Amino acid sequence: MKNFGLDIWSNNNFIIQNGEVKLNYKSQPSILTITQEIREKDVRGPMLFRFPHLIKKQIETLYSYFDKAIDINKYEGSFNAVFPLKVNQFPNVIEAVTSQGAKFNYGLEAGSKAELILAMSQTPNGANITVNGFKDKEMITLGFIAAQSGHKITITIEGLGELKTIIEVAKESNLKIPNIGIRVRLHSVGSGIWAKSGGMDAKFGLTSTEMIEAITMLQNAELTQSLTMIHFHIGSQMSDIAPLKRALREAGNIYAELKNMGATALRSINIGGGLAVEYDQHVRATSRNYSIDEFSSSVVFLLGEIMNAKNVAHPDIFTESGRYIVASHAVLITPVLELFTQDYHEKLLKFKEQNPPLLEELIYLYKQISEKNCIEYLHDALDHMESLLTLFDLGYIDLQDRSNAEILVHNIIKKSLYLTSAYTTDELQELQASLQERYLINASIFQSLPDYWGLKQHFPVMPLHNLDKKAIRAASIWDITCDSDGEIGFDSEKPLFLHDVDLENEEYFLGFFNVGAYQETLGMNHNLFTHPNEYTINIDEKGYSISNAVESKNILDILESIGYEKEIILKKLKNDLSNSHFIAEKEKNATLAKLETFLHQNGYLRTTN
Ligand SMILES: Cc1ncc(COP(=O)(O)O)c(C=O)c1O
């Protein structure tokens, strides 16, 4: 994997220069420099960096490709987009989305009451709000209140019951009636691990029969003029464009049919989200088979073609792409705390005055191994190891001899891997995998990469530095949760190789990229690890600035958030210590102060790394 697959997943957002990953934007700061600046303020543990310029880039790209497709295809409808709040509701993300999107009238999509309140409070004037998901009367009334407050809001119904409630609220109140959308249940199914949002057995949407019923209900309630949109969403992270094309044909024809049946106010088709992000680091496994160019042209061309054939005016197009907009903006930085095979460090060798002859042989091989002889010496070493283990079992060598042999062979394999890193053989690859290094990161996979834990969704990972050195250690990544699922194991299909570092003398940081979509609110507090410290990094021609620092919850706050009273906890701990007979009176105050400090820090580890 050359350069950790940067040319596959990074969309030119990052570059490698002088051995470090840098932002490929304006002054091109190094992520390591930013990391170190923050750590100088005694910050430890994982950190999440937000780069708002990457949100801006994605919004501008989305609009410019759709505008281009509209132009080329002489399409007569407009392009509109809303950001689905479920993808990332964090304030510093929404601030970036709404401020960068203001010039396009970029709006927000809500899927719950809380998200609707957020949308009502954050959507810029004049931008659209769409509402999806199951709704009760209260949520529908909130939609009416939003319309009354001046928002351009469309409530999409997921079933006839919701339409009944809308009609009820319209009759009972004098509030302004919001636009109504219908989510259609398509027989087209998406592709990828989130494909089940589409298809006839999908959780959401109206069947053909229900749509016809909905038109009648609206006509009877004299609300036909409020039905403005049809909506579909065939699943997030669509890997293949073909199902989208089928869905567009189906939805386009439904739109034209409904219009011809009397839904005269219909004027838009909302194609949901699904635009995929490249997460793969290996060419063999790219995540999607289309570009934003093909995506936007297909949508515009197909809808135009269907409407022309049915003699229906071109609808306005809405998208709700979320992952595409924010995935790239966030990078998780994790310090590496430990490498577990450091147990095989050569400084642990303890030779005797007289070593067994085979061990002497290993010492010779270790000292003399070179590019020319390494395969032969490697085979000899493996052979000697077998014999030494047999000698140990028979009682001819002792534990110290065995330990020396293991360390030597481990280091001979390591040396031969370095010496042969320009070429590789099946045997070497197997050895590499068996010699895996475990990198312990100061982070929680459950909190920061929940889709890896739940769905094995791969996220690009690479060291922030040392990139001018060869990385040949087959790597598994362990997190600090007390759970064996908190591991990203070495996968020979998608191998990750990291550097051999001596953590006693140097720091080593890994960056997990494209973590800006879904991970933050899906992240769970397993073992009570909470959202890491976050920072917004604004970059200009002269350098960068760090703002909007939000600290990870401290231990007392975490406990309070699940229902404990922090004052009671604090009091109990202090009382126990004050009354303890195990501590000298004069040390009590210092220990109490230490305890207070710990309780006001977050739960991540605070070792020097
Ligand atoms: C209705 C709807 N719109 C938009 C989205 C956002 O999808 P994505 O993040 O893949 O663009 C989703 C997510 O599943 C959704 O359910």
Side-chain angles (χ1 to χ4, degrees):
M1 177 175 48
K2 190 169 162 259
N3 287 341
F4 294 88
L6 206 71
D7 55 332
I8 301 168
W9 57 265
S10 95
N11 195 20
N12 279 327
N13 295 334
F14 302 95
I15 48 166
I16 295 177
Q17 245 177 27
N18 306 328
E20 294 181 8
V21 198
K22 298 187 173 177
L23 272 298
N24 188 17
Y25 186 65
K26 296 193 174 169
S27 53
Q28 300 188 328
S30 148
I31 303 183
L32 182 69
T33 310
I34 305 171
T35 304
Q36 282 168 335
E37 180 178 336
I38 295 171
R39 283 170 60 89
E40 268 165 26
K41 296 178 193 120
D42 196 33
V43 171
R44 291 292 174 270
M47 297 186 245
L48 189 96
F49 290 171
R50 301 194 193 284
F51 297 104
H53 72 276
L54 294 176
I55 293 182
K56 176 170 185 267
K57 173 180 168 181
Q58 294 306 97
I59 297 175
E60 286 175 353
T61 309
L62 181 72
Y63 275 89
S64 70
Y65 275 97
F66 269 97
D67 287 348
K68 186 177 93 172
I70 282 177
D71 208 31
I72 292 173
N73 290 286
K74 302 202 170 22
Y75 191 83
E76 284 156 13
S78 64
F79 174 71
N80 309 266
V82 287
F83 174 74
L85 284 165
K86 66 163 82 77
V87 183
N88 197 324
Q89 303 94 340
F90 276 62
N92 294 322
V93 178
I94 298 310
E95 206 288 312
V97 164
T98 50
S99 61
Q100 304 296 350
K103 68 173 181 228
F104 300 106
N105 256 345
Y106 190 37
L108 295 172
E109 182 261 5
S112 65
K113 287 183 206 174
E115 286 183 356
L116 180 51
I117 296 292
L118 193 56
M120 286 162 68
S121 67
Q122 305 298 316
T123 311
N125 284 345
N128 289 290
I129 297 178
T130 61
V131 188
N132 298 312
F134 294 115
K135 304 159 207 77
D136 60 4
K137 191 165 180 182
E138 218 172 74
M139 186 160 167
I140 284 170
T141 309
L142 271 177
F144 277 65
I145 294 173
Q148 181 80 13
S149 319
H151 284 295
K152 282 166 66 181
I153 180 167
T154 307
I155 299 186
T156 304
I157 56 161
E158 309 285 354
L160 289 178
E162 287 182 5
L163 182 56
K164 236 194 225 154
T165 314
I166 291 181
I167 294 170
E168 231 173 80
V169 177
K171 277 197 187 132
E172 286 168 12
S173 74
N174 287 325
L175 293 167
K176 188 168 181 294
I177 298 165
N179 290 330
I180 300 171
I182 293 182
R183 178 146 174 181
V184 296
R185 188 174 290 238
L186 302 178
H187 66 74
S188 316
V189 188
S191 59
I193 39 181
W194 287 278
K196 62 179 190 288
S197 311
M200 292 309 283
D201 55 355
K203 191 167 153 195
F204 302 109
L206 275 66
T207 61
S208 325
T209 318
E210 287 168 330
M211 278 186 262
I212 296 170
E213 175 71 15
I215 301 289
T216 313
M217 284 165 73
L218 285 163
Q219 281 165 343
N220 291 342
E222 294 178 3
L223 285 177
T224 317
Q225 287 312 302
S226 298
L227 176 64
T228 58
M229 179 184 280
I230 67 159
H231 173 247
F232 69 88
H233 169 72
I234 60 169
S236 196
Q237 187 68 358
M238 283 183 310
S239 51
D240 183 3
I241 189 125
L244 175 74
K245 291 186 178 180
R246 285 196 291 276
L248 281 164
R249 283 198 194 92
E250 196 180 341
N253 277 298
I254 290 173
Y255 176 88
E257 290 289 318
L258 290 180
K259 218 154 155 92
N260 290 336
M261 278 174 61
T264 48
L266 261 188
R267 56 171 183 269
S268 45
I269 293 193
N270 183 341
I271 63 168
L275 195 44
V277 163
E278 189 57 80
Y279 288 109
D280 275 303
Q281 290 185 272
H282 302 80
V283 191
R284 277 175 292 161
T286 44
S287 304
R288 53 183 180 157
N289 68 356
Y290 58 92
S291 62
I292 174 77
D293 203 359
E294 183 180 351
F295 178 86
S296 50
S297 327
S298 303
V299 173
V300 173
F301 172 78
L302 280 171
L303 290 180
E305 191 184 54
I306 296 164
M307 301 310 149
N308 292 346
K310 295 230 158 172
N311 212 11
V312 169
H314 294 173
D316 293 337
I317 298 168
F318 277 68
T319 70
E320 296 176 341
S321 273
R323 185 186 296 277
Y324 178 82
I325 300 295
V326 295
S328 61
H329 94 281
V331 182
L332 176 75
I333 311 298
T334 64
V336 174
L337 298 176
E338 205 169 325
L339 268 59
F340 285 91
T341 66
Q342 293 282 337
D343 307 348
Y344 292 109
H345 203 285
E346 54 186 302
K347 71 181 178 211
L348 299 173
L349 284 166
K350 283 198 187 78
F351 295 123
K352 301 173 183 156
E353 280 202 0
Q354 192 71 41
N355 294 301
L358 273 180
L359 196 58
E360 286 295 342
E361 267 290 310
L362 282 181
I363 296 170
Y364 172 83
L365 294 173
Y366 180 57
K367 285 188 178 152
Q368 299 300 324
I369 192 165
S370 69
E371 196 168 350
K372 241 173 156 180
N373 62 25
C374 70
I375 297 289
E376 184 190 336
Y377 280 24
L378 172 68
H379 289 155
D380 288 349
L382 293 173
D383 196 40
H384 291 348
M385 188 69 221
E386 283 288 311
S387 309
L388 281 158
L389 287 175
T390 311
L391 289 176
F392 178 77
D393 291 348
L394 296 173
Y396 290 111
I397 64 166
D398 63 18
L399 198 58
Q400 185 60 60
D401 295 327
R402 177 178 165 166
S403 154
N404 288 338
E406 285 176 359
I407 296 173
L408 283 168
V409 172
H410 186 95
N411 283 287
I412 289 170
I413 300 175
K414 235 163 82 172
K415 265 196 183 179
S416 57
L417 289 174
Y418 273 107
L419 293 167
T420 56
S421 59
Y423 62 94
T424 188
T425 61
D426 285 353
E427 180 192 24
L428 287 168
Q429 265 179 358
E430 257 172 50
L431 275 175
Q432 208 156 21
S434 68
L435 205 73
Q436 255 174 63
E437 181 57 275
R438 276 98 191 166
Y439 292 75
L440 180 71
I441 55 168
N442 200 357
S444 155
I445 289 170
F446 301 89
Q447 169 58 233
S448 295
L449 305 168
D451 276 342
Y452 178 80
W453 170 72
L455 298 159
K456 289 285 166 276
Q457 170 64 56
H458 177 84
F459 291 91
V461 52
M462 67 186 290
L464 302 183
H465 48 148
N466 284 357
L467 297 164
D468 42 6
K469 298 183 198 138
K470 272 189 185 135
I472 62 147
R473 300 308 311 271
S476 319
I477 293 174
W478 286 358
D479 75 2
I480 52 166
T481 62
C482 193
D483 191 316
S484 47
D485 275 354
E487 177 189 0
I488 302 177
F490 180 74
D491 176 355
S492 52
E493 293 292 306
K494 297 179 175 182
L496 173 69
F497 297 101
L498 296 175
H499 297 93
D500 204 17
V501 281
D502 175 8
L503 290 174
E504 278 180 23
N505 296 307
E506 57 185 315
E507 295 181 314
Y508 195 53
F509 295 99
L510 298 182
F512 290 85
F513 292 79
N514 287 348
V515 299
Y518 296 102
Q519 303 317 293
E520 292 182 61
T521 28
L522 281 180
M524 53 211 118
N525 296 350
H526 191 23
N527 275 148
L528 302 183
F529 289 112
T530 58
H531 191 275
N533 280 17
E534 68 161 88
Y535 304 89
T536 298
I537 318 291
N538 283 297
I539 301 168
D540 60 22
E541 277 79 5
K542 294 202 189 90
Y544 64 87
S545 61
I546 302 170
S547 58
N548 299 344
V550 183
E551 282 193 27
S552 186
K553 275 202 188 102
N554 71 39
I555 292 172
L556 283 177
D557 288 342
I558 301 165
L559 294 175
E560 189 177 49
S561 74
I562 56 165
Y564 291 94
E565 285 192 35
K566 59 182 177 186
E567 297 311 326
I568 295 179
I569 287 187
L570 203 54
K571 205 166 144 199
K572 164 88 171 97
L573 296 182
K574 282 181 172 175
N575 276 348
D576 285 354
L577 197 59
S578 304
N579 301 331
S580 169
H581 304 302
F582 300 112
I583 182 165
E585 254 341 284
K586 61 179 183 333
E587 282 171 22
K588 276 189 179 165
N589 281 346
T591 313
L592 272 171
K594 202 180 265 180
L595 180 66
E596 282 254 18
T597 314
F598 292 166
L599 292 170
H600 288 94
Q601 284 166 351
N602 67 50
Y604 290 99
L605 302 187
R606 286 189 55 79
T607 50
T608 36
N609 290 320

